[in-house]
Amino acid sequence: MAIATKNYITIMTMELKMIKTTEDNFLFVFLLMFREMIIPLIVLIFTNAYLLTPSWKKRILLFIVVLAVMQGMDYLTIHFKVIQFIKWNFICAAIMDAAFLLFGLMLAKTVLYLKEWERRKHESRV
């Protein structure tokens, strides 16, 4: 799901001319890998770590650290001229990254809820 969401956002930003991508083919492949594989992997790792962390303070710290890592990666794409922000900025990117993290967490919580609901439903039949 994160892959589809990230692809949608990439298409929308490119079509709306909010970012400009590099002309270098090698760097463009890096951009695709970053958007389609690295970001969803970070969201998956965050979701699993979040669900295994018992303390709210540690969960908030985990969210901030992962968001900072994602922002750092966004900065590196700008620094190495993989993309250029035109009508976009780091605040918008941070909001989108936070939305991806929260969406991944919401999806995981929904799956866990459905799993528990199915288990209870099965136990009531037996």
Side-chain angles (χ1 to χ4, degrees):
M1 192 57 141
I3 293 172
T5 305
K6 200 65 175 178
N7 285 336
Y8 172 76
I9 295 301
T10 300
I11 290 169
M12 291 299 290
T13 55
M14 287 181 182
E15 288 296 319
L16 295 174
K17 307 290 187 228
M18 296 178 123
I19 64 171
K20 180 182 175 190
T21 59
T22 182
E23 299 293 326
D24 185 4
N25 291 335
F26 178 75
L27 290 177
F28 189 73
V29 169
F30 169 77
L31 175 67
L32 293 177
M33 286 177 39
F34 173 67
R35 298 265 183 195
E36 295 178 15
M37 294 185 335
I38 296 172
I39 293 295
L41 183 63
I42 289 172
V43 171
L44 181 65
I45 292 170
F46 163 75
T47 302
N48 288 331
Y50 185 92
L51 293 175
L52 294 175
T53 304
S55 167
W56 278 101
K57 289 179 183 178
K58 290 181 182 178
R59 286 180 173 183
I60 292 171
L61 181 64
L62 177 68
F63 181 82
I64 292 170
V65 167
V66 171
L67 190 60
V69 167
M70 292 173 78
Q71 284 293 286
M73 294 180 80
D74 284 337
Y75 174 76
L76 288 176
T77 60
I78 296 294
H79 178 73
F80 291 115
K81 298 186 180 10
V82 177
I83 61 173
Q84 293 177 342
F85 288 160
I86 297 171
K87 297 178 190 171
W88 199 250
N89 56 36
F90 283 108
I91 294 173
C92 294
I95 291 170
M96 289 305 303
D97 290 340
F100 286 128
L101 293 174
L102 294 175
F103 181 72
L105 189 59
M106 180 187 68
L107 191 61
K109 290 271 191 176
T110 302
V111 168
L112 288 174
Y113 173 78
L114 291 175
K115 181 180 173 184
E116 180 66 22
W117 179 72
E118 186 67 29
R119 185 188 63 79
R120 287 182 187 168
K121 185 177 165 185
H122 180 70
E123 286 178 355
S124 68
R125 288 184 187 169
V126 176

